[in-house]
Amino acid sequence: MKVFYTDQYVLPLPPTHTFPMAKYRLLRQAVDDSGLLADDELVTPPSASDEELERAHARDYVERVSQNRLTDAEQLKVGFPWSEHLVERSRRSSGATIWATHAALEDGCSINLAGGTHHAFRDRGEGYCLFNDSVVAARAIQASGRVRRVVVLDCDVHQGNGTASICEFDPTIYTFSIHGAKNYPLKKERSDLDIELPDRTEDQAYLDALERGLRHAIESSRAELAIYLAGADPYVDDRLGRMAVSMAGLAERDRMVFDACHRAGLPFVITMAGGYARRVEDTVAIHWQTVRRALRQYARGSRLSQESREKSR
């Protein structure tokens, strides 16, 4: 099983910035310390090329991002000031999801310890998202000829508006988003399937809605590969989430997604998406429980094979 990381590409943000950049380093350290991966399974990905990015984004936008020609207003909408670090990190994160799609087809599951940048549109970035790694990767693996249809299972608390917009007229990429009805973005786009939940939704209501959504999305998409955005921000103590899902509820969410993909014979990629808990340690703990479950089920270094684990449940 391959796990891709890009935390060495750090954005130069002020200490008061809302975005928890440290979570990526802390998460990778947890993975490294776990002993669940062989040395060659924790990988730094190459950057996504212009050609790969331009399957999801307008050429002019990719050029302006790369050449520091975004306006102040555009940078404000992204939420990050332009820097070479920002461009390289965003390219690498998209590269990680591209490589993860290939790895998932070999091993059943793979992980990008970043990614999930679902607010990036074809011609602009928003909400801490510069390039849309899910669509970039889906179209890259389609272009390789290995996969024809992809389903995006977006469980970040914010709607995947950029993903929905880019894929609106693309029947080969099915978009499912379960998110807060009144949360960012104010203007929602139309996914193939949107489930909007009220503020302060708790575990059982969230999981019931997710079960219905997963069943419908996987059956309707007829996909050969899934990309799962495992956002940590439905958590009850997330500053930007407005939901009331517990850590245990999010662990159950992960189990449901994994099991649904397994039953359908769907290889899947996991990306981290958002997470803004008051304590960065809580965000890391939520991401780590997602990653740990995947590692225990799919990593080669685990003591039990996946088949043996299934029998022991």
Side-chain angles (χ1 to χ4, degrees), residues 5-6 16 24 35 43 55-56 78 80 90 106 117 143 145 155 162 186 197 205 213 220 229 270 275 293 300:
Y5 69 99
T6 54
T16 56
Y24 300 111
V43 181
R55 292 193 184 102
V78 171
F80 295 136
S90 300
E106 301 301 324
T117 46
C155 295
L186 183 62
L197 300 173
S220 299
L229 280 66
I270 304 168
R293 173 176 285 273
R300 290 201 304 265

Side-chain angles (χ1 to χ4, degrees), residues 127-139:
Y128 304 141
C129 303
L130 197 64
F131 298 129
N132 194 307
D133 65 294
S134 296
V135 185
V136 169
R139 288 185 171 165

Side-chain angles (χ1 to χ4, degrees), residues 118 159-169 175 189-191 194:
H118 59 168
Q159 193 213 29
N161 56 338
T163 308
S165 175
I166 296 171
C167 299
E168 183 177 3
F169 301 108
T175 55
E189 301 294 330
R190 187 172 67 180
S191 308
D194 287 298

Side-chain angles (χ1 to χ4, degrees), residues 28-218:
R28 194 257 308 156
Q29 287 176 349
V31 174
D32 213 12
D33 293 344
S34 71
L36 291 170
L37 284 177
D39 290 343
D40 63 346
E41 292 178 311
L42 191 58
V43 181
T44 299
S47 299
S49 67
D50 285 357
E51 180 182 6
E52 288 167 333
L53 293 173
E54 288 167 11
R55 292 193 184 102
H57 296 286
R59 176 173 297 179
D60 175 69
Y61 175 65
V62 174
E63 289 176 351
R64 290 190 301 111
V65 167
S66 302
Q67 298 168 11
N68 189 16
R69 292 194 287 115
L70 294 181
T71 66
D72 290 345
E74 287 175 314
Q75 292 180 54
L76 186 63
K77 204 157 183 74
V78 171
F80 295 136
W82 187 93
S83 68
E84 291 181 357
H85 295 281
L86 172 63
V87 178
E88 183 62 16
R89 177 179 172 77
S90 300
R91 283 181 176 269
R92 293 269 181 174
S93 187
S94 289
T97 307
I98 292 170
W99 276 53
T101 60
H102 290 276
L105 293 178
E106 301 301 324
D107 300 327
C109 175
S110 62
I111 303 171
N112 178 359
L113 295 179
T117 46
H118 59 168
H119 299 310
F121 285 70
R122 182 175 181 274
D123 59 355
R124 69 184 188 276
E126 292 183 0
Y128 304 141
C129 303
L130 197 64
F131 298 129
N132 194 307
D133 65 294
S134 296
V135 185
V136 169
R139 288 185 171 165
I141 195 69
Q142 288 173 328
S144 76
R146 301 190 70 187
V147 159
R148 291 171 299 171
R149 302 181 68 87
V150 176
V151 60
V152 178
L153 306 173
D154 191 337
C155 295
D156 189 278
V157 81
H158 306 104
Q159 193 213 29
N161 56 338
T163 308
S165 175
I166 296 171
C167 299
E168 183 177 3
F169 301 108
D170 183 350
T172 69
I173 302 176
Y174 188 100
T175 55
F176 164 47
S177 179
I178 180 169
H179 53 263
K182 296 181 179 178
N183 209 326
Y184 177 92
L186 183 62
K187 179 184 180 296
K188 306 293 193 290
E189 301 294 330
R190 187 172 67 180
S191 308
D192 289 297
L193 176 61
D194 287 298
I195 295 180
E196 297 193 327
L197 300 173
D199 288 358
R200 308 304 299 171
T201 294
E202 297 182 348
D203 288 11
Q204 196 57 56
Y206 180 89
L207 296 170
D208 287 347
L210 176 63
E211 183 179 25
R212 295 192 301 272
L214 286 173
R215 183 170 58 250
H216 184 84
I218 290 173

